[in-house]
Amino acid sequence: MTPKEQTELIDALLDGDISEADFLRIEAELSVDADVRKAYYNRMKLDLLLEKEAAEPSVDLATQSPNRPDPKLRSSRVTRAVGIFIVLAATIVGVVFLTTPDTDRDKPTGVTKNEIEPTAIGFALLGGQSDAVWEGQQMGTGSLVPSGELHLKSGLAHLELFSGVQMVIQGDAVFSIDSAMEVSLKRGRVSAHVPDAAHGFRVKTSHGDVVDLGTEFALKVTEESSRVEVVTGEVELHLQGSNTHRMFEGETLELSNAGKTAIAQVEKLSLISPDAFKRELALRQSDHFKRWQSHAESLRHDNRLVAYYRVDSKQPLSRQLTNLADSDGAKAGNGAIVACERTKNRWGHADGALDFSRMGSRVRVNVQGEYRGVTLLCWVKINSLDRQFNSLFLTDGHELQEPHWQIMDDGRLFFSVKKYDKKTKSTRTRNKHNFYSPVFWDSSLSGKWLMLATVYDVDAKQVTHYVNGEAIGIESVPDDYLVETVRIGSASIANWSEPMYRTDPEFVVRNLNGSIDEFALFAGALSSEEIAEHFRIGNPN
Amino acid sequence: MADANHKNDDSQIVGLLTEYQMPLVVYVRSLMPGDPSANDVVQQANARIWEKRSEFRLGSNFRAWSFAIARFEVLNHRKRQARDARLTFSEDLEQTISSELASLEDDVLSRHEALRQCLGSLKAKSRQLLMQRYGSTESLAEFATRRGRSVGGLKVSLNRLRTSLAECIERKLLVEESR
């Protein structure tokens, strides 16, 4: 192959415009010849750089004139930092849109449309909150903070900007995060801790801008004025016009449309610093954990509880999962842990959850008895849904009257109870009815703890799927598919055993790529209030 | 204090992620040449790296670590796209590419500098053609039609321009090296 042919084939390859025969030719060359690979890498880089140039031509090329400094930006260092963080934030955030699964793929009918919205775009994460009430949709801790104007009506919120800036905002506050380096504050109180890497971080108010030079500061903005208090370090005020003014540790100034006034000996803004806020949240969480523990303790005596497994962080080596259900209804034995590794639970306690991502991982259980309906509930952290079926709780094989509970690769919950076998099926096309929830999971939820629950209510003849205590889908059970007594027998948590009638590995490998720290099985149907309550008390955030 | 460490780690990961963005893009694209969804996969990989940041040990090889995550995302993507499967390299070749790109010196920045200079020495019309082609998301055929050119002729022009730019860049890099 001549060098010319080579570059032509590489170009065709990179243009995505290559025949199969040519693809095989260039692949063969690439496989054996390091120089061809080098040429391939370099051509690739050239492509990439040309794309970059086309998107944002370098100044001297586009205008054929020397660099004109942008008057809005004060130093190239800041420009670069802002640019980088915006790019980074955009790449991190962009994914949310790009990976929203196509929801129209064989969507089941008869399901209420109440899908959980995918997280919106932003430059920051909500690191924690305390009694926070947001206007509009409430934000979950750990979620991306959307762009645009936000209104924290009351309470405190801790924001972690991608630039490393930590902020505590106290409601009532109206603000927007314009980039990882710039926040506009219309009204409210803010304290900010700015690390070295984010010098130049700016808070804009209608009375002037506060530019941080590496410090901690607090700010209170009302319609009439903005008060700035430097806790440590130094900030620069950019007032109306081109006035700037430096402020140092301990100084407090009030800005208004009339200008700036020094304020001496007034009471401090007394806004909690981001660090102190985090410590407080950790303390609260431990209170919260204790409350949940006592709730879980009383739950043990609930007569409907058949099986209740919680991973005990104090026994990291135990391969047994004790059935904590202490009721007359408890007919399940202890679980046997297979292959799983220990990981942090949703409270952040080491060894408090089981990670099922290793192939073959599962918890084996045996549940005797027959139940008029069931409620399945678990706390789960999903890394990704990379199997066609991702197990939550499946009986071995799939015998008559047995339930299967799993998640489809497109992010829908799946529940079924087998009604017919081959002998009884003859006039019907299906042996069971599959109850799908709407899509609830996409990769923006990866790594987040969720509470999933599904209720099979025989009396109401309906199946309800819940995510984080809220019903996301209700479907009636068709009369000829209603199974009045559910049986379980041998089953696995987060995997499937004894796949008797399928042998293709794609279908058979079903372990959940994720972790579980709590699993409960109830006889009969829990009410939506009970599920919501279980979430409220068990939610660490 | 654990909090302070965590904060520190995050900003360091942000730094690393920024620093290795171009190599990551080159890597993902080299595994999926000509596939317009490569950018999506890079985004996906970025998000995954960010999610997994706590698993990264500062001081260990970020490039290798992030490439491994990106590789997984490429495979994942293929699985999702299985229905309209594109041609893909053999497992062996992909392994070779992965290990080479993980160890090769990252010269994208100096190449960018050189490219800027080389672009300046192209004829204005040629430069314009390149900028329009690379600034467009149309397929080659659509782009050719809009400009009233044959696809074959356009391919030849672009190939020549790229080759002369590539030669110019190599010369400049050589000069820079010998300085």
Side-chain angles (χ1 to χ4, degrees):
Chain A
M1 196 182 284
T2 66
K4 187 163 172 293
E5 269 179 300
Q6 232 172 53
T7 63
E8 278 169 8
L9 285 186
I10 291 177
D11 276 3
L13 182 65
L14 293 178
D15 272 335
D17 183 42
I18 191 167
S19 69
E20 191 167 350
D22 281 346
F23 182 88
L24 294 174
R25 279 175 71 205
I26 192 68
E27 187 190 19
E29 294 279 322
L30 285 166
S31 299
V32 297
D33 193 336
D35 286 339
V36 182
R37 286 197 297 278
K38 205 166 163 222
Y40 172 59
Y41 304 146
N42 287 342
R43 204 73 163 186
M44 169 93 54
K45 290 175 191 168
L46 177 62
D47 252 12
L48 198 62
L49 293 172
L50 280 167
E51 272 173 36
K52 248 179 126 73
E53 279 299 305
E56 41 175 340
S58 48
V59 174
D60 37 357
L61 188 77
T63 62
Q64 300 291 337
S65 71
N67 281 355
R68 282 173 313 179
D70 185 337
K72 278 180 297 191
L73 298 160
R74 291 164 308 110
S75 79
S76 63
R77 188 166 152 243
V78 172
T79 319
R80 212 165 43 237
V82 173
I84 287 170
F85 288 123
I86 289 176
V87 167
L88 183 67
T91 49
I92 288 171
V93 165
V95 65
V96 175
F97 293 116
L98 296 164
T99 57
T100 307
D102 47 353
T103 44
D104 52 7
R105 175 148 55 128
D106 62 283
K107 201 165 202 162
T109 50
V111 170
T112 53
K113 274 196 160 189
N114 182 17
E115 292 176 18
I116 290 179
E117 294 277 326
T119 325
I121 162 172
F123 299 101
L125 290 173
L126 184 58
Q129 47 191 339
S130 159
D131 305 322
V133 179
W134 299 89
E135 179 153 301
Q137 207 174 15
Q138 298 306 299
M139 271 190 270
T141 299
S143 63
L144 286 164
V145 181
S147 64
E149 192 166 276
L150 298 167
H151 185 177
L152 176 66
K153 287 158 106 175
S154 59
L156 291 172
H158 172 225
L159 305 182
E160 295 187 50
L161 277 64
F162 290 144
S163 53
V165 172
Q166 310 269 328
M167 286 172 64
V168 173
I169 297 189
Q170 182 182 327
D172 176 40
V174 175
F175 66 100
S176 64
I177 300 179
D178 308 325
S179 80
M181 287 291 282
E182 194 169 290
V183 168
S184 298
L185 182 63
K186 236 186 203 170
R187 66 166 188 272
R189 293 175 180 215
V190 161
S191 74
H193 176 87
V194 180
D196 291 346
H199 286 189
F201 169 72
R202 180 182 288 244
V203 180
K204 296 165 80 168
T205 79
S206 57
H207 311 104
D209 297 357
V210 180
V211 177
D212 192 286
L213 304 173
T215 153
E216 196 164 305
F217 66 90
L219 194 59
K220 179 186 171 188
V221 177
T222 61
E223 270 180 31
E224 295 75 39
S225 66
S226 301
R227 195 203 288 183
V228 187
E229 186 178 295
V230 181
V231 181
T232 56
E234 205 178 323
V235 305
E236 193 167 74
L237 301 178
H238 291 230
L239 309 169
Q240 311 294 355
S242 55
N243 272 340
T244 63
H245 175 79
R246 284 210 172 196
M247 283 177 69
F248 300 93
E249 197 159 323
E251 270 189 89
T252 302
L253 273 182
E254 190 147 87
L255 310 178
S256 64
N257 292 333
K260 62 175 193 291
T261 333
I263 299 183
Q265 298 296 326
V266 285
E267 83 285 14
K268 295 274 178 205
L269 278 176
S270 73
L271 193 56
I272 189 166
S273 75
D275 275 352
F277 185 60
K278 274 191 140 176
R279 280 196 297 276
E280 187 136 306
L281 276 185
L283 275 177
R284 266 167 181 255
Q285 208 191 37
S286 94
D287 279 355
H288 197 144
F289 177 71
K290 284 180 196 137
R291 211 160 59 228
W292 170 75
Q293 271 188 317
S294 75
H295 168 79
E297 196 51 38
S298 61
L299 181 74
R300 289 179 57 190
H301 309 297
D302 187 320
N303 251 332
R304 298 165 298 175
L305 195 61
V306 176
Y308 185 36
Y309 301 110
R310 263 161 45 199
V311 184
D312 187 351
S313 60
K314 296 198 182 72
Q315 298 192 28
L317 297 177
S318 170
R319 304 309 277 174
Q320 180 179 303
L321 216 47
T322 310
N323 182 8
L324 299 169
D326 185 26
S327 64
D328 302 337
K331 289 182 178 151
N334 295 328
I337 301 172
V338 182
C340 312
E341 285 177 11
R342 292 294 185 109
T343 181
K344 275 189 191 168
N345 65 11
R346 65 183 192 271
W347 305 93
H349 303 162
D351 300 321
L354 295 174
D355 176 359
F356 293 90
S357 56
R358 222 164 93 192
M359 193 95 70
S361 297
R362 70 196 64 209
V363 172
R364 297 287 298 149
V365 299
N366 192 287
V367 183
Q368 293 305 310
E370 295 193 330
Y371 305 99
R372 189 171 168 80
V374 287
T375 297
L376 294 157
L377 181 151
C378 72
W379 276 92
V380 60
K381 184 181 84 173
I382 300 162
N383 302 328
S384 67
L385 298 175
D386 36 25
R387 323 257 187 247
Q388 187 184 355
F389 300 95
N390 304 272
S391 305
L392 290 170
F393 184 71
L394 281 81
T395 59
D396 292 0
H398 200 176
E399 304 298 305
L400 282 182
Q401 298 169 271
E402 291 183 356
H404 271 190
W405 192 36
Q406 49 200 341
I407 311 170
M408 308 299 292
D409 60 353
D410 59 9
R412 293 179 292 164
L413 268 168
F414 168 111
F415 179 82
S416 72
V417 182
K418 191 156 177 182
K419 173 76 176 178
Y420 302 105
D421 61 17
K422 279 196 184 109
K423 278 168 272 166
T424 56
K425 200 180 86 167
S426 58
T427 54
R428 292 178 182 80
T429 48
R430 292 171 306 157
N431 53 24
K432 60 191 168 64
H433 185 78
N434 298 336
F435 302 90
Y436 296 98
S437 76
V439 172
F440 74 93
W441 200 90
D442 64 37
S443 59
S444 70
L445 293 177
S446 173
K448 282 192 195 161
W449 283 98
L450 306 169
M451 193 188 90
L452 303 180
T454 294
V455 174
Y456 188 64
D457 188 336
V458 171
D459 296 315
K461 291 188 189 172
Q462 68 183 22
V463 170
T464 312
H465 293 290
Y466 294 87
V467 175
N468 288 345
E470 274 185 47
I472 59 163
I474 302 176
E475 188 178 354
S476 299
V477 182
D479 283 340
D480 47 346
Y481 286 99
L482 185 71
V483 177
E484 295 197 16
T485 38
V486 175
R487 287 197 296 229
I488 290 166
S490 296
S492 294
I493 296 175
N495 211 328
W496 190 33
S497 296
E498 294 175 43
M500 289 172 237
Y501 46 89
R502 290 292 288 263
T503 49
D504 48 318
E506 175 87 1
F507 193 81
V508 164
V509 175
R510 289 201 189 188
N511 62 309
L512 178 78
N513 181 3
S515 315
I516 290 179
D517 67 359
E518 184 179 357
F519 178 92
L521 167 66
F522 297 85
L526 261 62
S527 69
S528 57
E529 291 78 20
E530 286 172 311
I531 303 258
E533 178 72 356
H534 203 80
F535 171 72
R536 194 182 63 76
I537 297 180
N539 177 16
N541 297 315
Chain B
M1 211 180 84
D3 266 5
N5 284 336
H6 179 66
K7 232 182 322 184
N8 221 4
D9 287 359
D10 271 8
S11 62
Q12 289 186 54
I13 294 281
V14 168
L16 286 166
L17 201 46
T18 313
E19 184 182 345
Y20 286 103
Q21 201 49 215
M22 283 302 270
L24 192 70
V25 176
V26 171
Y27 176 59
V28 169
R29 286 201 181 189
S30 71
L31 295 182
M32 28 195 321
D35 187 337
S37 18
N39 285 342
D40 298 357
V41 174
V42 172
Q43 308 261 34
Q44 185 91 34
N46 274 327
R48 192 53 49 86
I49 290 165
W50 183 251
E51 285 159 17
K52 287 183 173 255
R53 63 193 184 280
S54 62
E55 292 168 25
F56 178 70
R57 271 193 7 263
L58 283 171
S60 63
N61 187 341
F62 184 81
R63 193 202 294 238
W65 181 73
S66 61
F67 277 20
I69 293 175
R71 177 92 197 274
F72 186 75
E73 289 307 320
V74 171
L75 296 178
N76 245 343
H77 172 78
R78 282 190 193 143
K79 214 150 132 197
R80 285 198 298 272
Q81 303 297 311
R83 268 165 294 174
D84 54 335
R86 300 180 75 93
L87 298 165
T88 53
F89 291 146
S90 70
E91 174 80 26
D92 278 355
L93 177 54
E94 292 203 340
Q95 287 293 357
T96 311
I97 289 175
S98 301
S99 61
E100 275 182 353
L101 285 182
S103 59
L104 273 183
E105 193 200 345
D106 171 29
D107 57 358
V108 177
L109 270 184
S110 46
R111 279 180 183 273
H112 199 178
E113 261 324 294
L115 170 68
R116 285 182 173 173
Q117 295 171 27
C118 294
L119 272 175
S121 61
L122 281 185
K123 281 196 214 116
K125 220 174 136 193
S126 305
R127 198 165 58 224
Q128 204 184 13
L129 172 68
L130 280 172
M131 289 302 102
Q132 284 174 346
R133 175 63 197 132
Y134 279 93
S136 133
T137 52
E138 295 167 308
S139 72
L140 202 62
E142 287 164 345
F143 184 77
T145 317
R146 201 163 53 82
R147 297 177 62 91
R149 294 192 55 171
S150 74
V151 176
L154 188 67
K155 268 190 191 170
V156 172
S157 303
L158 288 172
N159 178 260
R160 275 195 201 131
L161 284 174
R162 288 185 192 121
T163 301
S164 73
L165 278 176
E167 283 165 3
C168 170
I169 290 172
E170 296 307 326
R171 273 199 308 276
K172 293 228 184 282
L173 290 179
L174 214 63
V175 171
E176 198 179 275
E177 239 170 67
S178 59
R179 254 206 303 248

